[in-house]
Amino acid sequence: EQVRADKTRETNDGFDGSWVAHPDLVPVAREVFDGVLKGRPNQSDRKREDVTPDDRELLNIAGTQGSITEAGIRTNIWVGIQYIESWLRGHGAAALNNLMEDAATAEISRSQIWQWIHAQAVTDHGEIVSGHWVHELLEEEFARMPRFDGDRFDEARTIFEEVALGEEFPDFLTLPAYLRFLQEKPQEELVAA
């Protein structure tokens, strides 16, 4: 239903097509788009007079709606670690909280946390987003994660902490994992040599 709602929003915004994170979602997206397009190849006849592109608006972070919440930080932690764990086991997408999440979602999750910490952002309840506080939330969320034989949550947590709580901002969240797991010699051996 959430995918259907998202695709309906896209068709109402004038999109002609969309992407999905998993092949099983193609029928849902196709149904919504076919219902709007009705055999037409596109909606180029549909003008969006209500939208005026403006490069300054793209950079107007202060003008965005919404606020930082503790629940949002917890969700970012949950999604980031869960996705990295799934990725370490070879999956490019993971069903989390009834949504199909991928590397882009996990990238947003860790980037927001890193940015909020380094900007000393304030939540809707006046809490300063600090590394210490996020680490406490991470401890609580990690303790709630369902574990199973062969899981890679410990490694996922280490990577997430490095890319979300570290002083430096890696270009992409999986880069530390590549260094650890996709070399002939693990990074520790390279450093020791």
Side-chain angles (χ1 to χ4, degrees), residues 78-128:
W78 182 271
V79 168
I81 293 174
Q82 291 277 335
Y83 175 77
I84 293 170
E85 191 282 330
S86 181
W87 182 84
L88 287 171
R89 288 185 295 108
H91 302 284
L96 304 172
N97 304 326
N98 296 314
L99 297 170
M100 199 53 119
E101 307 291 12
D102 59 12
T105 310
E107 183 64 34
I108 291 167
S109 294
R110 74 91 182 196
S111 297
Q112 284 181 328
I113 288 175
W114 191 92
Q115 183 181 30
W116 293 337
I117 290 169
H118 290 270
Q120 296 182 330
V122 179
T123 70
D124 59 342
H125 286 106
E127 180 83 33
I128 294 174

mmCIF file of all heavy atoms in Angstrom, residues 78-128:
data_model
loop_
_atom_site.group_PDB
_atom_site.id
_atom_site.type_symbol
_atom_site.label_atom_id
_atom_site.label_comp_id
_atom_site.label_asym_id
_atom_site.label_seq_id
_atom_site.Cartn_x
_atom_site.Cartn_y
_atom_site.Cartn_z
ATOM 1 N N TRP A 78 18.450 2.188 12.787
ATOM 2 C CA TRP A 78 17.886 0.862 12.491
ATOM 3 C C TRP A 78 18.076 0.505 11.022
ATOM 4 O O TRP A 78 18.601 -0.562 10.684
ATOM 5 C CB TRP A 78 16.404 0.849 12.876
ATOM 6 C CG TRP A 78 15.727 -0.463 12.657
ATOM 7 C CD1 TRP A 78 15.111 -0.886 11.514
ATOM 8 C CD2 TRP A 78 15.610 -1.546 13.588
ATOM 9 N NE1 TRP A 78 14.610 -2.147 11.687
ATOM 10 C CE2 TRP A 78 14.895 -2.575 12.942
ATOM 11 C CE3 TRP A 78 16.022 -1.719 14.904
ATOM 12 C CZ2 TRP A 78 14.603 -3.768 13.567
ATOM 13 C CZ3 TRP A 78 15.720 -2.917 15.518
ATOM 14 C CH2 TRP A 78 15.027 -3.924 14.860
ATOM 15 N N VAL A 79 17.665 1.403 10.146
ATOM 16 C CA VAL A 79 17.748 1.140 8.712
ATOM 17 C C VAL A 79 19.203 1.025 8.270
ATOM 18 O O VAL A 79 19.556 0.124 7.504
ATOM 19 C CB VAL A 79 17.006 2.234 7.911
ATOM 20 C CG1 VAL A 79 17.327 2.153 6.422
ATOM 21 C CG2 VAL A 79 15.503 2.121 8.132
ATOM 22 N N GLY A 80 20.056 1.925 8.750
ATOM 23 C CA GLY A 80 21.462 1.887 8.351
ATOM 24 C C GLY A 80 22.132 0.570 8.706
ATOM 25 O O GLY A 80 22.763 -0.071 7.862
ATOM 26 N N ILE A 81 21.995 0.138 9.940
ATOM 27 C CA ILE A 81 22.649 -1.105 10.372
ATOM 28 C C ILE A 81 22.000 -2.314 9.704
ATOM 29 O O ILE A 81 22.690 -3.222 9.230
ATOM 30 C CB ILE A 81 22.634 -1.238 11.909
ATOM 31 C CG1 ILE A 81 23.529 -0.157 12.521
ATOM 32 C CG2 ILE A 81 23.105 -2.628 12.340
ATOM 33 C CD1 ILE A 81 23.489 -0.086 14.033
ATOM 34 N N GLN A 82 20.671 -2.336 9.660
ATOM 35 C CA GLN A 82 19.977 -3.476 9.045
ATOM 36 C C GLN A 82 20.361 -3.619 7.573
ATOM 37 O O GLN A 82 20.594 -4.719 7.085
ATOM 38 C CB GLN A 82 18.457 -3.301 9.167
ATOM 39 C CG GLN A 82 17.926 -3.414 10.565
ATOM 40 C CD GLN A 82 17.704 -4.847 10.991
ATOM 41 O OE1 GLN A 82 17.505 -5.735 10.171
ATOM 42 N NE2 GLN A 82 17.732 -5.076 12.276
ATOM 43 N N TYR A 83 20.417 -2.497 6.851
ATOM 44 C CA TYR A 83 20.776 -2.583 5.439
ATOM 45 C C TYR A 83 22.222 -3.056 5.266
ATOM 46 O O TYR A 83 22.504 -3.926 4.446
ATOM 47 C CB TYR A 83 20.592 -1.247 4.690
ATOM 48 C CG TYR A 83 21.098 -1.414 3.283
ATOM 49 C CD1 TYR A 83 20.328 -2.085 2.342
ATOM 50 C CD2 TYR A 83 22.383 -1.025 2.931
ATOM 51 C CE1 TYR A 83 20.818 -2.333 1.077
ATOM 52 C CE2 TYR A 83 22.880 -1.274 1.673
ATOM 53 C CZ TYR A 83 22.096 -1.929 0.743
ATOM 54 O OH TYR A 83 22.593 -2.199 -0.503
ATOM 55 N N ILE A 84 23.146 -2.476 6.015
ATOM 56 C CA ILE A 84 24.554 -2.878 5.878
ATOM 57 C C ILE A 84 24.707 -4.362 6.187
ATOM 58 O O ILE A 84 25.431 -5.080 5.492
ATOM 59 C CB ILE A 84 25.480 -2.015 6.765
ATOM 60 C CG1 ILE A 84 25.488 -0.563 6.261
ATOM 61 C CG2 ILE A 84 26.902 -2.574 6.788
ATOM 62 C CD1 ILE A 84 26.164 0.424 7.197
ATOM 63 N N GLU A 85 24.008 -4.846 7.216
ATOM 64 C CA GLU A 85 24.070 -6.279 7.546
ATOM 65 C C GLU A 85 23.591 -7.113 6.365
ATOM 66 O O GLU A 85 24.225 -8.101 5.979
ATOM 67 C CB GLU A 85 23.219 -6.571 8.797
ATOM 68 C CG GLU A 85 23.417 -7.950 9.372
ATOM 69 C CD GLU A 85 22.699 -9.064 8.638
ATOM 70 O OE1 GLU A 85 21.628 -8.807 8.045
ATOM 71 O OE2 GLU A 85 23.199 -10.218 8.645
ATOM 72 N N SER A 86 22.495 -6.721 5.755
ATOM 73 C CA SER A 86 21.961 -7.434 4.607
ATOM 74 C C SER A 86 22.931 -7.364 3.426
ATOM 75 O O SER A 86 23.178 -8.355 2.735
ATOM 76 C CB SER A 86 20.602 -6.836 4.231
ATOM 77 O OG SER A 86 20.029 -7.508 3.149
ATOM 78 N N TRP A 87 23.513 -6.189 3.222
ATOM 79 C CA TRP A 87 24.484 -5.998 2.142
ATOM 80 C C TRP A 87 25.703 -6.895 2.342
ATOM 81 O O TRP A 87 26.211 -7.483 1.390
ATOM 82 C CB TRP A 87 24.873 -4.520 2.099
ATOM 83 C CG TRP A 87 25.832 -4.165 1.007
ATOM 84 C CD1 TRP A 87 25.532 -3.879 -0.293
ATOM 85 C CD2 TRP A 87 27.253 -4.049 1.133
ATOM 86 N NE1 TRP A 87 26.684 -3.585 -0.989
ATOM 87 C CE2 TRP A 87 27.749 -3.690 -0.132
ATOM 88 C CE3 TRP A 87 28.144 -4.211 2.183
ATOM 89 C CZ2 TRP A 87 29.103 -3.475 -0.372
ATOM 90 C CZ3 TRP A 87 29.495 -4.011 1.947
ATOM 91 C CH2 TRP A 87 29.963 -3.652 0.686
ATOM 92 N N LEU A 88 26.168 -7.004 3.581
ATOM 93 C CA LEU A 88 27.329 -7.856 3.857
ATOM 94 C C LEU A 88 27.041 -9.323 3.541
ATOM 95 O O LEU A 88 27.956 -10.086 3.247
ATOM 96 C CB LEU A 88 27.760 -7.720 5.330
ATOM 97 C CG LEU A 88 28.448 -6.410 5.694
ATOM 98 C CD1 LEU A 88 28.616 -6.305 7.207
ATOM 99 C CD2 LEU A 88 29.790 -6.270 4.982
ATOM 100 N N ARG A 89 25.784 -9.702 3.590
ATOM 101 C CA ARG A 89 25.401 -11.074 3.224
ATOM 102 C C ARG A 89 25.055 -11.204 1.747
ATOM 103 O O ARG A 89 24.594 -12.243 1.300
ATOM 104 C CB ARG A 89 24.223 -11.542 4.087
ATOM 105 C CG ARG A 89 24.598 -11.817 5.525
ATOM 106 C CD ARG A 89 23.447 -12.392 6.345
ATOM 107 N NE ARG A 89 22.341 -11.444 6.490
ATOM 108 C CZ ARG A 89 21.155 -11.558 5.876
ATOM 109 N NH1 ARG A 89 20.900 -12.572 5.096
ATOM 110 N NH2 ARG A 89 20.221 -10.632 6.065
ATOM 111 N N GLY A 90 25.297 -10.128 0.971
ATOM 112 C CA GLY A 90 25.148 -10.205 -0.477
ATOM 113 C C GLY A 90 23.831 -9.732 -1.054
ATOM 114 O O GLY A 90 23.541 -9.981 -2.224
ATOM 115 N N HIS A 91 23.014 -9.042 -0.273
ATOM 116 C CA HIS A 91 21.719 -8.570 -0.763
ATOM 117 C C HIS A 91 21.786 -7.076 -1.069
ATOM 118 O O HIS A 91 22.200 -6.281 -0.231
ATOM 119 C CB HIS A 91 20.624 -8.831 0.269
ATOM 120 C CG HIS A 91 20.505 -10.274 0.634
ATOM 121 N ND1 HIS A 91 19.908 -11.195 -0.191
ATOM 122 C CD2 HIS A 91 20.936 -10.967 1.711
ATOM 123 C CE1 HIS A 91 19.964 -12.391 0.370
ATOM 124 N NE2 HIS A 91 20.591 -12.278 1.528
ATOM 125 N N GLY A 92 21.320 -6.678 -2.248
ATOM 126 C CA GLY A 92 21.346 -5.289 -2.650
ATOM 127 C C GLY A 92 20.158 -4.482 -2.169
ATOM 128 O O GLY A 92 20.167 -3.270 -2.205
ATOM 129 N N ALA A 93 19.124 -5.180 -1.713
ATOM 130 C CA ALA A 93 17.940 -4.506 -1.170
ATOM 131 C C ALA A 93 17.433 -5.350 -0.005
ATOM 132 O O ALA A 93 17.631 -6.569 0.027
ATOM 133 C CB ALA A 93 16.861 -4.359 -2.238
ATOM 134 N N ALA A 94 16.796 -4.687 0.944
ATOM 135 C CA ALA A 94 16.302 -5.398 2.124
ATOM 136 C C ALA A 94 14.915 -4.880 2.489
ATOM 137 O O ALA A 94 14.682 -3.666 2.466
ATOM 138 C CB ALA A 94 17.257 -5.189 3.299
ATOM 139 N N ALA A 95 14.017 -5.784 2.803
ATOM 140 C CA ALA A 95 12.682 -5.400 3.258
ATOM 141 C C ALA A 95 12.775 -5.066 4.742
ATOM 142 O O ALA A 95 13.021 -5.939 5.569
ATOM 143 C CB ALA A 95 11.691 -6.526 3.016
ATOM 144 N N LEU A 96 12.602 -3.789 5.078
ATOM 145 C CA LEU A 96 12.698 -3.320 6.461
ATOM 146 C C LEU A 96 11.471 -2.474 6.786
ATOM 147 O O LEU A 96 11.169 -1.527 6.056
ATOM 148 C CB LEU A 96 13.964 -2.484 6.667
ATOM 149 C CG LEU A 96 15.299 -3.132 6.301
ATOM 150 C CD1 LEU A 96 16.419 -2.117 6.377
ATOM 151 C CD2 LEU A 96 15.580 -4.312 7.203
ATOM 152 N N ASN A 97 10.794 -2.795 7.849
ATOM 153 C CA ASN A 97 9.624 -2.028 8.283
ATOM 154 C C ASN A 97 8.592 -1.879 7.162
ATOM 155 O O ASN A 97 8.042 -0.805 6.937
ATOM 156 C CB ASN A 97 10.037 -0.651 8.806
ATOM 157 C CG ASN A 97 11.040 -0.737 9.926
ATOM 158 O OD1 ASN A 97 11.015 -1.654 10.739
ATOM 159 N ND2 ASN A 97 11.957 0.212 9.973
ATOM 160 N N ASN A 98 8.373 -2.969 6.418
ATOM 161 C CA ASN A 98 7.415 -3.004 5.312
ATOM 162 C C ASN A 98 7.777 -2.078 4.153
ATOM 163 O O ASN A 98 6.917 -1.690 3.374
ATOM 164 C CB ASN A 98 5.994 -2.698 5.803
ATOM 165 C CG ASN A 98 5.501 -3.758 6.755
ATOM 166 O OD1 ASN A 98 5.652 -4.954 6.501
ATOM 167 N ND2 ASN A 98 4.937 -3.340 7.866
ATOM 168 N N LEU A 99 9.042 -1.717 4.050
ATOM 169 C CA LEU A 99 9.533 -0.931 2.930
ATOM 170 C C LEU A 99 10.725 -1.645 2.328
ATOM 171 O O LEU A 99 11.446 -2.361 3.019
ATOM 172 C CB LEU A 99 9.968 0.468 3.390
ATOM 173 C CG LEU A 99 8.888 1.363 3.985
ATOM 174 C CD1 LEU A 99 9.521 2.601 4.599
ATOM 175 C CD2 LEU A 99 7.878 1.753 2.922
ATOM 176 N N MET A 100 10.955 -1.450 1.049
ATOM 177 C CA MET A 100 12.120 -2.022 0.405
ATOM 178 C C MET A 100 13.214 -0.972 0.452
ATOM 179 O O MET A 100 13.080 0.112 -0.119
ATOM 180 C CB MET A 100 11.787 -2.397 -1.034
ATOM 181 C CG MET A 100 12.756 -3.371 -1.597
ATOM 182 S SD MET A 100 12.913 -4.809 -0.532
ATOM 183 C CE MET A 100 12.386 -6.069 -1.598
ATOM 184 N N GLU A 101 14.267 -1.252 1.204
ATOM 185 C CA GLU A 101 15.354 -0.292 1.392
ATOM 186 C C GLU A 101 16.567 -0.739 0.590
ATOM 187 O O GLU A 101 16.798 -1.932 0.401
ATOM 188 C CB GLU A 101 15.718 -0.178 2.878
ATOM 189 C CG GLU A 101 14.545 0.131 3.797
ATOM 190 C CD GLU A 101 13.963 1.526 3.638
ATOM 191 O OE1 GLU A 101 14.292 2.225 2.665
ATOM 192 O OE2 GLU A 101 13.164 1.917 4.491
ATOM 193 N N ASP A 102 17.351 0.224 0.155
ATOM 194 C CA ASP A 102 18.557 -0.079 -0.604
ATOM 195 C C ASP A 102 19.694 0.819 -0.118
ATOM 196 O O ASP A 102 19.555 1.523 0.874
ATOM 197 C CB ASP A 102 18.309 0.075 -2.102
ATOM 198 C CG ASP A 102 17.860 1.479 -2.496
ATOM 199 O OD1 ASP A 102 17.946 2.406 -1.667
ATOM 200 O OD2 ASP A 102 17.432 1.649 -3.640
ATOM 201 N N ALA A 103 20.799 0.782 -0.845
ATOM 202 C CA ALA A 103 21.972 1.544 -0.416
ATOM 203 C C ALA A 103 21.679 3.039 -0.342
ATOM 204 O O ALA A 103 22.220 3.737 0.517
ATOM 205 C CB ALA A 103 23.149 1.283 -1.350
ATOM 206 N N ALA A 104 20.809 3.544 -1.197
ATOM 207 C CA ALA A 104 20.496 4.975 -1.166
ATOM 208 C C ALA A 104 19.821 5.350 0.150
ATOM 209 O O ALA A 104 20.141 6.382 0.742
ATOM 210 C CB ALA A 104 19.595 5.343 -2.354
ATOM 211 N N THR A 105 18.904 4.518 0.610
ATOM 212 C CA THR A 105 18.215 4.796 1.877
ATOM 213 C C THR A 105 19.206 4.756 3.032
ATOM 214 O O THR A 105 19.183 5.620 3.913
ATOM 215 C CB THR A 105 17.093 3.766 2.122
ATOM 216 O OG1 THR A 105 16.284 3.669 0.958
ATOM 217 C CG2 THR A 105 16.247 4.156 3.312
ATOM 218 N N ALA A 106 20.060 3.750 3.037
ATOM 219 C CA ALA A 106 21.058 3.640 4.099
ATOM 220 C C ALA A 106 22.032 4.817 4.035
ATOM 221 O O ALA A 106 22.467 5.326 5.069
ATOM 222 C CB ALA A 106 21.800 2.316 3.987
ATOM 223 N N GLU A 107 22.343 5.257 2.826
ATOM 224 C CA GLU A 107 23.236 6.403 2.659
ATOM 225 C C GLU A 107 22.602 7.668 3.240
ATOM 226 O O GLU A 107 23.252 8.444 3.928
ATOM 227 C CB GLU A 107 23.560 6.602 1.176
ATOM 228 C CG GLU A 107 24.530 7.721 0.894
ATOM 229 C CD GLU A 107 25.905 7.490 1.477
ATOM 230 O OE1 GLU A 107 26.369 6.339 1.543
ATOM 231 O OE2 GLU A 107 26.533 8.486 1.893
ATOM 232 N N ILE A 108 21.322 7.856 2.993
ATOM 233 C CA ILE A 108 20.610 9.003 3.561
ATOM 234 C C ILE A 108 20.604 8.901 5.083
ATOM 235 O O ILE A 108 20.861 9.887 5.784
ATOM 236 C CB ILE A 108 19.175 9.084 3.006
ATOM 237 C CG1 ILE A 108 19.205 9.462 1.531
ATOM 238 C CG2 ILE A 108 18.337 10.080 3.808
ATOM 239 C CD1 ILE A 108 17.885 9.255 0.811
ATOM 240 N N SER A 109 20.344 7.707 5.594
ATOM 241 C CA SER A 109 20.273 7.504 7.047
ATOM 242 C C SER A 109 21.579 7.892 7.728
ATOM 243 O O SER A 109 21.587 8.651 8.701
ATOM 244 C CB SER A 109 19.944 6.042 7.364
ATOM 245 O OG SER A 109 18.655 5.713 6.918
ATOM 246 N N ARG A 110 22.686 7.399 7.212
ATOM 247 C CA ARG A 110 23.962 7.689 7.879
ATOM 248 C C ARG A 110 24.395 9.123 7.649
ATOM 249 O O ARG A 110 24.967 9.768 8.524
ATOM 250 C CB ARG A 110 25.029 6.679 7.465
ATOM 251 C CG ARG A 110 25.600 6.815 6.072
ATOM 252 C CD ARG A 110 26.812 7.693 6.041
ATOM 253 N NE ARG A 110 27.302 7.842 4.662
ATOM 254 C CZ ARG A 110 28.485 8.281 4.390
ATOM 255 N NH1 ARG A 110 29.315 8.621 5.329
ATOM 256 N NH2 ARG A 110 28.883 8.420 3.137
ATOM 257 N N SER A 111 24.080 9.671 6.468
ATOM 258 C CA SER A 111 24.469 11.045 6.154
ATOM 259 C C SER A 111 23.741 12.053 7.040
ATOM 260 O O SER A 111 24.346 13.022 7.504
ATOM 261 C CB SER A 111 24.177 11.366 4.682
ATOM 262 O OG SER A 111 24.937 10.543 3.835
ATOM 263 N N GLN A 112 22.453 11.808 7.247
ATOM 264 C CA GLN A 112 21.700 12.712 8.111
ATOM 265 C C GLN A 112 22.284 12.710 9.521
ATOM 266 O O GLN A 112 22.495 13.766 10.107
ATOM 267 C CB GLN A 112 20.227 12.307 8.166
ATOM 268 C CG GLN A 112 19.458 12.685 6.930
ATOM 269 C CD GLN A 112 18.005 12.299 7.025
ATOM 270 O OE1 GLN A 112 17.640 11.306 7.645
ATOM 271 N NE2 GLN A 112 17.155 13.079 6.386
ATOM 272 N N ILE A 113 22.531 11.527 10.047
ATOM 273 C CA ILE A 113 23.086 11.448 11.406
ATOM 274 C C ILE A 113 24.423 12.178 11.475
ATOM 275 O O ILE A 113 24.656 12.982 12.373
ATOM 276 C CB ILE A 113 23.211 9.987 11.871
ATOM 277 C CG1 ILE A 113 21.814 9.424 12.146
ATOM 278 C CG2 ILE A 113 24.105 9.878 13.109
ATOM 279 C CD1 ILE A 113 21.794 7.943 12.490
ATOM 280 N N TRP A 114 25.310 11.897 10.538
ATOM 281 C CA TRP A 114 26.622 12.542 10.542
ATOM 282 C C TRP A 114 26.467 14.060 10.480
ATOM 283 O O TRP A 114 27.089 14.801 11.242
ATOM 284 C CB TRP A 114 27.466 12.037 9.376
ATOM 285 C CG TRP A 114 28.898 12.453 9.461
ATOM 286 C CD1 TRP A 114 29.926 11.754 10.034
ATOM 287 C CD2 TRP A 114 29.466 13.689 8.987
ATOM 288 N NE1 TRP A 114 31.093 12.474 9.942
ATOM 289 C CE2 TRP A 114 30.836 13.670 9.302
ATOM 290 C CE3 TRP A 114 28.952 14.795 8.340
ATOM 291 C CZ2 TRP A 114 31.701 14.702 8.978
ATOM 292 C CZ3 TRP A 114 29.799 15.841 8.019
ATOM 293 C CH2 TRP A 114 31.166 15.788 8.335
ATOM 294 N N GLN A 115 25.625 14.530 9.555
ATOM 295 C CA GLN A 115 25.441 15.970 9.394
ATOM 296 C C GLN A 115 24.844 16.593 10.647
ATOM 297 O O GLN A 115 25.283 17.656 11.086
ATOM 298 C CB GLN A 115 24.546 16.252 8.189
ATOM 299 C CG GLN A 115 24.369 17.737 7.926
ATOM 300 C CD GLN A 115 23.462 18.002 6.751
ATOM 301 O OE1 GLN A 115 22.557 17.235 6.460
ATOM 302 N NE2 GLN A 115 23.699 19.111 6.075
ATOM 303 N N TRP A 116 23.828 15.958 11.227
ATOM 304 C CA TRP A 116 23.197 16.513 12.417
ATOM 305 C C TRP A 116 24.174 16.623 13.579
ATOM 306 O O TRP A 116 24.172 17.601 14.313
ATOM 307 C CB TRP A 116 21.986 15.675 12.822
ATOM 308 C CG TRP A 116 20.853 15.741 11.841
ATOM 309 C CD1 TRP A 116 20.597 16.730 10.923
ATOM 310 C CD2 TRP A 116 19.820 14.777 11.673
ATOM 311 N NE1 TRP A 116 19.470 16.430 10.204
ATOM 312 C CE2 TRP A 116 18.963 15.240 10.640
ATOM 313 C CE3 TRP A 116 19.531 13.559 12.283
ATOM 314 C CZ2 TRP A 116 17.845 14.527 10.226
ATOM 315 C CZ3 TRP A 116 18.410 12.856 11.866
ATOM 316 C CH2 TRP A 116 17.581 13.347 10.849
ATOM 317 N N ILE A 117 25.015 15.594 13.731
ATOM 318 C CA ILE A 117 26.021 15.641 14.806
ATOM 319 C C ILE A 117 26.986 16.794 14.567
ATOM 320 O O ILE A 117 27.258 17.589 15.469
ATOM 321 C CB ILE A 117 26.783 14.299 14.912
ATOM 322 C CG1 ILE A 117 25.862 13.192 15.450
ATOM 323 C CG2 ILE A 117 28.030 14.440 15.778
ATOM 324 C CD1 ILE A 117 26.450 11.790 15.349
ATOM 325 N N HIS A 118 27.514 16.887 13.367
ATOM 326 C CA HIS A 118 28.547 17.887 13.084
ATOM 327 C C HIS A 118 27.998 19.298 12.979
ATOM 328 O O HIS A 118 28.762 20.262 13.114
ATOM 329 C CB HIS A 118 29.352 17.478 11.850
ATOM 330 C CG HIS A 118 30.210 16.288 12.133
ATOM 331 N ND1 HIS A 118 31.496 16.398 12.593
ATOM 332 C CD2 HIS A 118 29.945 14.959 12.094
ATOM 333 C CE1 HIS A 118 31.995 15.191 12.810
ATOM 334 N NE2 HIS A 118 31.070 14.298 12.517
ATOM 335 N N ALA A 119 26.689 19.441 12.775
ATOM 336 C CA ALA A 119 26.063 20.768 12.750
ATOM 337 C C ALA A 119 25.461 21.110 14.109
ATOM 338 O O ALA A 119 24.913 22.189 14.278
ATOM 339 C CB ALA A 119 24.973 20.805 11.683
ATOM 340 N N GLN A 120 25.592 20.186 15.059
ATOM 341 C CA GLN A 120 24.977 20.354 16.382
ATOM 342 C C GLN A 120 23.505 20.736 16.234
ATOM 343 O O GLN A 120 23.008 21.667 16.873
ATOM 344 C CB GLN A 120 25.735 21.370 17.217
ATOM 345 C CG GLN A 120 27.143 20.937 17.533
ATOM 346 C CD GLN A 120 27.872 21.931 18.404
ATOM 347 O OE1 GLN A 120 27.629 23.127 18.365
ATOM 348 N NE2 GLN A 120 28.768 21.411 19.223
ATOM 349 N N ALA A 121 22.823 19.961 15.370
ATOM 350 C CA ALA A 121 21.401 20.191 15.123
ATOM 351 C C ALA A 121 20.601 19.935 16.394
ATOM 352 O O ALA A 121 21.058 19.251 17.316
ATOM 353 C CB ALA A 121 20.925 19.272 14.000
ATOM 354 N N VAL A 122 19.408 20.491 16.432
ATOM 355 C CA VAL A 122 18.544 20.379 17.602
ATOM 356 C C VAL A 122 17.245 19.691 17.191
ATOM 357 O O VAL A 122 16.654 20.018 16.157
ATOM 358 C CB VAL A 122 18.241 21.778 18.189
ATOM 359 C CG1 VAL A 122 17.320 21.689 19.387
ATOM 360 C CG2 VAL A 122 19.541 22.484 18.555
ATOM 361 N N THR A 123 16.806 18.741 18.026
ATOM 362 C CA THR A 123 15.568 18.016 17.729
ATOM 363 C C THR A 123 14.348 18.871 18.041
ATOM 364 O O THR A 123 14.458 19.950 18.626
ATOM 365 C CB THR A 123 15.464 16.720 18.558
ATOM 366 O OG1 THR A 123 15.255 17.071 19.933
ATOM 367 C CG2 THR A 123 16.700 15.853 18.401
ATOM 368 N N ASP A 124 13.206 18.334 17.700
ATOM 369 C CA ASP A 124 11.949 19.023 17.974
ATOM 370 C C ASP A 124 11.690 19.197 19.468
ATOM 371 O O ASP A 124 10.881 20.022 19.874
ATOM 372 C CB ASP A 124 10.779 18.297 17.318
ATOM 373 C CG ASP A 124 10.621 16.860 17.790
ATOM 374 O OD1 ASP A 124 11.573 16.275 18.369
ATOM 375 O OD2 ASP A 124 9.529 16.296 17.579
ATOM 376 N N HIS A 125 12.411 18.448 20.306
ATOM 377 C CA HIS A 125 12.276 18.582 21.762
ATOM 378 C C HIS A 125 13.452 19.316 22.398
ATOM 379 O O HIS A 125 13.638 19.277 23.619
ATOM 380 C CB HIS A 125 12.097 17.205 22.424
ATOM 381 C CG HIS A 125 10.733 16.638 22.204
ATOM 382 N ND1 HIS A 125 10.496 15.601 21.324
ATOM 383 C CD2 HIS A 125 9.540 16.987 22.727
ATOM 384 C CE1 HIS A 125 9.208 15.326 21.331
ATOM 385 N NE2 HIS A 125 8.599 16.155 22.169
ATOM 386 N N GLY A 126 14.275 19.958 21.565
ATOM 387 C CA GLY A 126 15.364 20.771 22.090
ATOM 388 C C GLY A 126 16.639 20.017 22.438
ATOM 389 O O GLY A 126 17.560 20.595 22.999
ATOM 390 N N GLU A 127 16.726 18.754 22.104
ATOM 391 C CA GLU A 127 17.923 17.939 22.374
ATOM 392 C C GLU A 127 18.958 18.207 21.288
ATOM 393 O O GLU A 127 18.660 18.121 20.098
ATOM 394 C CB GLU A 127 17.543 16.463 22.379
ATOM 395 C CG GLU A 127 18.677 15.515 22.641
ATOM 396 C CD GLU A 127 18.969 15.334 24.116
ATOM 397 O OE1 GLU A 127 18.033 15.394 24.923
ATOM 398 O OE2 GLU A 127 20.151 15.118 24.445
ATOM 399 N N ILE A 128 20.185 18.536 21.703
ATOM 400 C CA ILE A 128 21.266 18.700 20.737
ATOM 401 C C ILE A 128 21.704 17.313 20.279
ATOM 402 O O ILE A 128 21.947 16.422 21.087
ATOM 403 C CB ILE A 128 22.458 19.462 21.346
ATOM 404 C CG1 ILE A 128 22.030 20.900 21.670
ATOM 405 C CG2 ILE A 128 23.651 19.459 20.393
ATOM 406 C CD1 ILE A 128 23.085 21.698 22.405
#
